[in-house]
Amino acid sequence: MTRAIQIRQHGGPEELQLVQVQVGQPGPGEVRIRHHAIGLNFIDVYHRTGLYPLTMPATIGMEAAGVIEAVGEGVTHLAVGDRAAYASNPPGSYCEVRVMPAMCVCKLPDAIDFETGAAMMLKGLTAQYLLKKTRPVEGLERGDHVLFHAAAGGVGLIACQWARALGLELIATAGSGEKCRLALANGAAHAINYRTEDFAARVKEITGGRGVKVVYDSVGRDTWDKSLQCLRPFGLMASFGNASGPVPPFAPGMLGAMGSLYVTRQTLFTHIRTREATQAMADELFDVVASGQVKIHIEQRYPLEQVQQAHRDLEARKTTGSTILTLA
């Protein structure tokens, strides 16, 4: 038996309940991992609320780090005793021990501790596919401007640093002066407090009226219309989340009128759909973290049993950087 956080119906943070569950042996292509730390992400809120529905009862959570306890038939890249970390479907990381598919579980380099590993996999792999794979049709070159919303969050702070390492001029948005200063301290070239400034007007001012080549947006409904206004002709609107709610339907014809714009809705799990792709992306992430070019800022830690409060703080936008759940 092991402790786990389950929901029996979609709803608010109060639906997150600490329970005891049975953990068995891994089958073919699976591993059993004992967690040392668990990552908290906004997708966990989507699963809890039902924006992304789950079959009940459900254990949520998409990333963690720990030690491999058992390996199923056919798994060759992991062995018992390996330090490991993952961002992976199906949900289920909010627990002490789990059996799960091995495909997206990666060996964790010795230079990276368990808490960092748990805090960086989903967020860091997301930043990797955004900056390295989700690019405008005209490409990205050193000195190009990009706009990144929610830049003081877990993905955002990684993206600020990684963009600086790539030579990009990242324009950050955040909801307070403190969060803007945090983004600037982590590599953003400019920061805009969207609560006190018109970010579309400021972007045009910063870019001399040209606009940015790409907008990376995990906010959704509240930022969508103005984000399109920030793009230069042939620019790319890259949506990867819905923190403020889903984007309403829109007429594709408007994209032509605004400069022949491109729109894409990205998800990490398309990018890590194979073992080879997962490992290649993880290797890039491990390298950039181990080199010191990207530091993982763990700003909040909650014991597993305080997960309800963790969700409340995340939804209230009280958190910055990465958040983890700890295990006694």
Side-chain angles (χ1 to χ4, degrees):
M1 302 295 290
T2 187
R3 295 190 306 160
I5 300 294
Q6 283 192 345
I7 57 173
R8 297 194 175 277
Q9 62 182 9
H10 294 298
E14 68 280 357
E15 298 298 337
L16 297 163
Q17 298 296 320
L18 186 65
V19 299
Q20 292 283 330
V21 297
Q22 186 74 41
V23 180
Q25 294 297 318
E30 294 181 332
V31 294
R32 189 175 72 230
I33 182 169
R34 179 170 293 275
H35 294 147
H36 284 234
I38 300 158
L40 185 75
N41 296 281
F42 221 97
I43 192 173
D44 305 346
V45 174
Y46 302 156
H47 285 145
R48 193 202 74 223
T49 61
L51 180 63
Y52 300 164
L54 299 176
T55 301
M56 298 298 154
T59 302
I60 64 173
M62 304 300 293
E63 72 176 340
V67 175
I68 301 298
E69 286 192 335
V71 174
E73 181 183 351
V75 177
T76 59
H77 69 286
L78 295 166
V80 173
D82 280 347
R83 302 170 72 254
Y86 66 85
S88 178
N89 268 320
S93 68
Y94 283 17
C95 63
E96 293 174 317
V97 184
R98 71 179 294 199
V99 170
M100 63 179 296
M103 185 182 74
C104 295
V105 182
C106 300
K107 284 186 181 180
L108 186 64
D110 291 339
I112 300 174
D113 60 63
F114 288 119
E115 289 196 350
T116 301
M120 75 182 220
M121 290 299 287
L122 190 143
K123 304 167 195 68
L125 293 175
T126 298
Q128 194 275 351
Y129 84 69
L130 290 173
L131 294 173
K132 303 298 287 292
K133 297 184 176 185
T134 311
R135 294 186 162 217
V137 67
E138 294 183 333
L140 284 176
E141 300 176 359
R142 298 183 72 85
D144 281 341
H145 287 98
V146 302
L147 178 63
F148 207 102
H149 289 304
V155 177
L157 289 185
I158 295 172
C160 286
Q161 297 172 78
W162 210 329
R164 178 176 56 186
L166 294 170
L168 300 175
E169 297 284 308
L170 186 145
I171 304 171
T173 72
S176 70
E178 180 183 359
K179 288 184 176 182
C180 285
R181 289 187 289 273
L182 185 58
L184 290 168
N186 281 273
H190 307 272
I192 303 168
N193 183 343
Y194 64 82
R195 296 190 189 278
T196 60
E197 298 183 85
D198 180 334
F199 73 80
R202 279 286 289 130
V203 165
K204 288 299 179 71
E205 179 184 328
I206 290 166
T207 61
R210 298 184 69 195
V212 297
K213 280 189 171 181
V214 59
V215 176
Y216 296 112
D217 185 9
S218 63
V219 177
R221 180 181 58 209
D222 290 354
T223 51
W224 184 261
D225 291 339
K226 282 187 176 293
S227 292
L228 292 174
Q229 298 171 27
C230 294
L231 288 166
R232 59 192 286 180
F234 308 112
L236 173 64
M237 181 67 187
S239 171
F240 68 103
N242 323 277
S244 67
V247 174
F250 62 93
M254 67 183 289
L255 302 176
M258 298 182 76
S260 299
L261 304 179
Y262 292 78
V263 172
T264 182
R265 178 58 166 92
Q266 295 286 305
T267 173
L268 171 62
F269 301 105
T270 306
H271 289 275
I272 58 172
R273 66 189 182 279
T274 68
R275 164 102 282 280
E276 294 75 18
T278 302
Q279 193 63 58
M281 291 172 64
D283 286 344
E284 278 203 37
L285 175 60
F286 294 152
D287 287 346
V288 78
V289 171
S291 72
Q293 290 179 296
V294 171
K295 299 184 186 301
I296 307 301
H297 296 282
I298 303 173
E299 302 295 344
Q300 298 82 211
R301 292 172 172 83
Y302 300 84
L304 182 64
E305 55 270 22
Q306 291 181 17
V307 66
Q308 292 185 6
Q309 188 60 49
H311 272 236
R312 291 188 186 99
D313 290 347
L314 182 63
E315 288 184 277
R317 302 189 184 185
K318 293 181 179 179
T319 65
T320 57
S322 295
T323 302
I324 62 169
L325 302 175
T326 60
L327 300 162

